[in-house]
Amino acid sequence: MNPYLTLLKPRVIWLLILASLAGYLYSARQPDIAQAFSLLLVAFLSTGGAAAFNHFWERDIDAAMRRTAKRPLPAGLVEPRNALAYSLVLSALGIALGFLLLGPLPGLFVFLGWFFYAVVYTVILKRRTWLNILGGGFAGNATFLGGYALGAGTVDLHAVLISFAIYLWIPSHIWALAYKYRDDYRRAGIPMLPTVVGEKAAVVIISLLNLASAAYIMALYLAFGGGLLGGALVAAGVVATIATGAYALATKTDEAMWKMYKASSPVLTLFLLALIANA
Ligand code: HEM
Ligand SMILES: CC(C)=CCC/C(C)=C/CC/C(C)=C/COP(=O)(O)OP(=O)(O)O
């Protein structure tokens, strides 16, 4: 893949973009195709720009971790100053178009999403505390709330409660991966839960969090949900979460935790599709 495409973390940002689209389709009475395309463009530019900035800022620790050592900057495929310029142009475009094309409130959430991930998480917290993802996780809320604000013209408690399904999903999503790569994170000096607590405690905490995030999604769907299709999608996600959580608790292996991580994105996808189906 072209290294400048890799810098956008396409395997990751597609779900951030879907979260924005889900927020819009869930809240808009009459979804407008032009508005939806503007949202997709803004979400792509802002999340891609944030991801590219993360590559620039983390080029030293990426070089120190097995999982990330072959990325474009540690691999010498892209000059740091070019990656920085690329990330800032995309980010500035995404945020500016967020305000210009989507309006002040959606634009604010685009900025907050960028800021919480690129600055609060990547620059300020990630190397300092294992609570880094709890500070940066609000970027996840922002992806959904930006789309919701575009569709509804406002953000209410309903929207905030739904957005916390993403926030509560993040810890088990990243810590399950961090468990498998705990030696990598230790070598790079990055504090993550699995590097600061014992292995058994980490598996139990992450598995319980995984199950709690599924319970929250189920409660949301029961409170705000409706239709059969949406219910089936949420049920499939909850079953997958319970299965990976129970398997991890029973076996406490790297493989079980990796399965939990790999299942996390499909589970969130099912929830977002349920919101769209229920719109
Ligand atoms: C502070 C917040 C977050 C952190 C620290 C985080 C961290 C990570 C990490 C380390 C990876 C592995 C990347 C790789 O090895 O290439 C990953 C993958 C991913 N993340 Fe997150 N994530 C966060 C929030 C989110 C959110 C909010 C979403 C979507 C709404 C998301 C969607 C994904 C997806 C789709 C993948 C790829 C999964 C796969 O390959 O199966 N992440 N994340
Ligand atoms: C609107 C907007 C811009 C929102 C951003 C939303 C958001 C939560 C982005 C985070 C997703 C991501 C690329 C995490 C990688 O974390 P990492 O840097 O720890 O992963 P790594 O170790 O693989 O580099």
Side-chain angles (χ1 to χ4, degrees), residues 60-104:
D60 56 334
I61 52 175
D62 280 351
M65 293 173 73
R66 197 161 40 93
R67 175 174 63 86
T68 54
K70 294 189 175 58
R71 289 181 170 178
L73 288 171
L77 299 176
V78 175
E79 281 300 310
R81 66 173 178 279
N82 295 342
L84 177 61
Y86 177 63
S87 72
L88 294 180
V89 166
L90 289 181
S91 302
L93 256 181
I95 293 165
L97 290 177
F99 282 98
L100 291 171
L101 296 180
L102 308 182

Side-chain angles (χ1 to χ4, degrees), residues 11-12 14-16 19 67 71 117 121 133 136-137 140 166 169-170 173-174 177 185 261-262 265 268:
R11 276 190 313 108
V12 173
W14 69 270
L15 190 50
L16 296 166
R67 175 174 63 86
R71 289 181 170 178
Y117 174 60
Y121 172 73
I133 60 158
I166 300 178
W169 166 87
I170 288 172
H173 157 72
I174 163 77
L177 172 128
Y185 277 101
Y261 158 69
K262 290 302 283 183
S265 301
L268 184 60

Side-chain angles (χ1 to χ4, degrees), residues 4-21 38-56 83 86-98 102 106-107 109-119 121-122 136 138-147 166:
Y4 280 92
L5 195 54
T6 306
L7 290 179
L8 305 179
K9 300 194 184 184
R11 276 190 313 108
V12 173
I13 66 169
W14 69 270
L15 190 50
L16 296 166
I17 294 164
L18 179 64
S20 299
L21 183 64
S38 299
L39 176 66
L40 292 175
L41 173 67
V42 167
F44 170 72
L45 291 169
S46 58
T47 58
F53 178 79
N54 176 275
H55 273 279
F56 165 77
Y86 177 63
S87 72
L88 294 180
V89 166
L90 289 181
S91 302
L93 256 181
I95 293 165
L97 290 177
L102 308 182
F109 283 110
V110 172
F111 169 74
L112 288 175
W114 190 91
F115 184 77
F116 269 99
Y117 174 60
V119 179
Y121 172 73
T122 302
F138 293 105
N141 299 59
T143 54
F144 178 83
L145 292 174
I166 300 178

Side-chain angles (χ1 to χ4, degrees), residues 215-228:
Y216 184 76
I217 282 177
M218 196 160 59
L220 274 186
Y221 201 76
L222 294 175
F224 303 132
L228 267 182

